[in-house]
Amino acid sequence: MSFTPIWGVPIALYLFLAGLGGGAFVTAYCLRRTAPGQAESTRRFAHYAAFIVVCIGLAMLMLDAKAGFFHPQRFFLLLTNFGSWMTWGVVFLVLFTLADFIVCILDLTKHKTPEWLEVFGVIFGLLVAVYTGALLATPHAFPLWNSAALPILFLVSAMSTGAALVIGFAAIKRPEEFKAMEWVSDAHYWLPIAELVLVFFLMWVTYHNGEAGANSVLVLMVGQYALAFWLGFIIIGLVLPLIIESVGRFGKKESRGMTACADVCVIIGGYLLRWLIIVAALPVTLVVPAMF
Amino acid sequence: MARYGMLIDTTKCIGCFTCRTACQRQNGLLDDEAFIRFETRESGKYPNVHVETVPLQCMHCDDAPCAQVCPTGAAHMGEDGIVQVDQDRCIGCLYCMAACPYQVRVRNSKTGSVDKCRFCTVSAYTSGTKMCTCVEACLTGARTFGDLDDPDSEISKKIAETGAAPIAPGLSKPKIYYVR
């Protein structure tokens, strides 16, 4: 039996952009705590970027939800079922976007953002990032999704891509601020390692979770998505940034150009992770195993 | 109150797809919108081969996973245990399609909403009219519809006789039983 994935590129982009926005906002707050007053224009960029990418993601979501797109008043019904992660996701997204919007206005009008508002944004930014994984982890018919590792993996990836966007911006545009961002850069260095560990265990456990689980993993590792998985996600998205950053750290002096390259790789990897997880998941076997 | 269910005897199914066509005609569905899908399994070795065709459709689960995840309440448990989709509430997020363990929900390519088997046979029961449903259309009488809570109903007797069971264990609490 052949299986057509339920969602495609628009939803993969949405999951990626929602995480990217949340991650960028959290990174901005980390900069406030670890480099007070030393990276203000980078912080402002992070707030604006988070708002823009989350809004693009939401536009993708609405376009993909065709019946809602034709009847926009139905989107208000999204707050009906609080047993659904989709409903909670709407709550998290609205509160996060609202907080970020106010922060952006304060930035634009050159006012200082109160810390409580930023903490509020951080909490909902983290919740947005983790919900994108929890949403997929709920349906029990897809072993690749139905895993406790998935929300954590998406959260780590969201923080990694968000930090990459902010660090990459500083490396290219704000060299003087980039120097003050050591704590964030250090933290960011370890995230791809955490992701590799999480991906390994997600694949391992899913492979041993019935025919559908095994087939989903095989489709990624040796099947139709093997190139995107190994070259795109594992090598370009995780291993290459690690090598580049390690060379910078433990070898000669870190170059800003190389850091920016590593950050672009991380962002590409972040998108590919969402896309691969969406398209490679196969449903449990009823009569014959699902294949592509 | 009745609790409607269906029994499908795959040992009688010849894979003619008449049920699907009858359903599409009955419900005025689009060409690419089918509430019944089929899986075919071949087993054995030549010359002793066996082909099994299994029609699959909404199982009207008592614990409907689709209704649990539907954010707008479009997918819900209606009267007589029939899972319904309120077409005017559906935004087409497709979350129910991901949650359904049987992959029997389809998106209407025109409206963007999700739809699925409505157990329309129930109206034949309540109004007494004979109509062209999957049950009536089946050439070999592979389908039986009725009240699962009534021990004297034809379906309850057949389930007891044949030992019919849900298509796969542990996925949900479905109301379609299969003889295989």
Side-chain angles (χ1 to χ4, degrees):
Chain A
M1 184 198 117
S2 70
F3 179 75
T4 313
I6 292 164
W7 291 303
V9 170
I11 294 301
L13 260 177
Y14 159 70
L15 297 177
F16 161 69
L17 291 172
L20 181 70
F25 193 93
V26 172
T27 308
Y29 181 68
C30 291
L31 286 175
R32 178 180 180 142
R33 300 295 305 181
T34 60
Q38 296 171 64
E40 284 310 300
S41 78
T42 303
R43 272 169 39 75
R44 281 197 296 276
F45 164 80
H47 296 148
Y48 304 149
F51 186 74
I52 292 166
V53 296
V54 171
C55 284
I56 296 173
L58 284 173
M60 293 282 168
L61 193 63
M62 290 183 190
L63 277 170
D64 197 69
K66 204 170 148 190
F69 184 68
F70 290 153
H71 307 274
Q73 76 282 1
R74 287 186 198 169
F75 284 123
F76 291 102
L77 300 170
L78 277 166
L79 295 171
T80 305
N81 177 8
F82 281 89
S84 170
W85 271 106
M86 185 92 66
T87 295
W88 282 107
V90 171
V91 173
F92 299 155
L93 276 163
V94 166
L95 292 176
F96 172 70
T97 317
L98 195 68
D100 190 16
F101 179 71
I102 298 170
V103 170
C104 287
I105 297 289
L106 290 172
D107 281 349
L108 282 168
T109 54
K110 309 252 187 292
H111 286 84
K112 190 158 168 55
T113 310
E115 187 160 9
W116 66 264
L117 179 61
E118 235 174 297
V119 171
F120 181 88
V122 164
I123 292 169
F124 285 97
L126 290 170
L127 286 172
V128 163
V130 83
Y131 120 85
T132 57
L135 185 83
L136 293 183
T138 307
H140 64 293
F142 292 87
L144 183 62
W145 297 346
N146 193 214
S147 157
L150 197 69
I152 313 294
L153 175 61
F154 276 22
L155 177 65
V156 173
S157 171
M159 293 308 120
S160 184
T161 50
L165 183 70
V166 176
I167 295 169
F169 167 81
I172 297 167
K173 293 279 191 187
R174 300 284 183 274
E176 67 294 342
E177 295 192 359
F178 177 67
K179 284 182 203 135
M181 293 166 54
E182 209 167 310
W183 188 91
V184 167
S185 299
D186 283 350
H188 181 238
Y189 173 78
W190 297 100
L191 292 178
I193 297 173
E195 266 185 79
L196 277 170
V197 173
L198 283 164
V199 167
F200 173 79
F201 283 112
L202 180 68
M203 293 300 139
W204 183 268
V205 173
T206 306
Y207 183 78
H208 293 91
N209 191 356
E211 257 174 314
N215 283 336
S216 303
V217 172
L218 290 176
V219 158
L220 283 173
M221 298 229 168
V222 292
Q224 145 181 27
Y225 299 115
L227 189 69
F229 180 79
W230 288 110
L231 184 67
F233 175 53
I234 298 288
I235 296 187
I236 295 178
L238 296 175
V239 176
L240 199 60
L242 260 178
I243 293 174
I244 295 174
E245 293 286 312
S246 301
V247 167
R249 251 150 225 280
F250 306 114
K252 55 188 174 54
K253 215 171 141 243
E254 203 170 351
S255 108
R256 287 187 290 115
M258 293 303 275
T259 299
C261 282
D263 291 332
V264 170
C265 290
V266 165
I267 290 171
I268 293 171
Y271 168 70
L272 283 174
L273 168 68
R274 304 319 193 285
W275 179 72
L276 287 167
I277 292 288
I278 284 206
V279 295
L282 293 168
V284 287
T285 303
L286 298 177
V287 181
V288 283
M291 302 293 253
F292 279 87
Chain B
M1 193 179 283
R3 191 172 144 265
Y4 290 115
M6 194 181 282
L7 176 134
I8 299 176
D9 188 343
T10 64
T11 62
K12 287 185 181 170
C13 179
I14 55 170
C16 64
F17 307 153
T18 301
C19 53
R20 178 173 69 189
T21 312
C23 167
Q24 286 183 292
R25 196 190 71 110
Q26 160 99 14
N27 293 299
L29 306 186
L30 302 173
D31 292 350
D32 61 352
E33 185 187 17
F35 290 169
I36 302 173
R37 68 178 188 87
F38 300 86
E39 288 193 15
T40 308
R41 180 166 65 182
E42 291 172 23
S43 55
K45 271 194 179 159
Y46 177 83
N48 299 312
V49 289
H50 175 68
V51 180
E52 178 193 24
T53 306
V54 182
L56 297 157
Q57 67 205 69
C58 174
M59 310 276 173
H60 297 276
C61 311
D62 285 333
D63 55 349
C66 53
Q68 286 172 26
V69 304
C70 176
T72 66
H76 64 280
M77 181 63 75
E79 273 180 44
D80 296 333
I82 297 172
V83 176
Q84 299 174 339
V85 185
D86 185 341
Q87 293 293 307
D88 293 332
R89 288 182 81 90
C90 178
I91 58 163
C93 68
L94 312 187
Y95 200 15
C96 58
M97 287 175 67
C100 173
Y102 309 101
Q103 308 115 51
V104 287
R105 301 175 74 89
V106 284
R107 170 183 253 188
N108 180 311
S109 55
K110 264 196 187 143
T111 65
S113 301
V114 175
D115 212 339
K116 46 122 216 142
C117 161
R118 302 158 185 169
F119 256 0
C120 57
T121 318
V122 74
S123 54
Y125 266 64
T126 49
S127 66
T129 50
K130 217 172 169 159
M131 54 161 67
C132 178
T133 60
C134 55
V135 179
E136 297 289 338
C138 181
L139 306 178
T140 60
R143 291 166 177 269
T144 310
F145 182 82
D147 183 0
L148 295 169
D149 279 354
D150 176 4
D152 294 325
S153 67
E154 191 188 357
I155 184 170
S156 296
K157 284 180 183 161
K158 275 195 181 169
I159 290 173
E161 246 169 57
T162 57
I167 190 69
L171 293 176
S172 70
K173 293 172 183 153
K175 289 202 278 287
I176 293 194
Y177 289 78
Y178 287 85
V179 181
R180 296 176 69 189

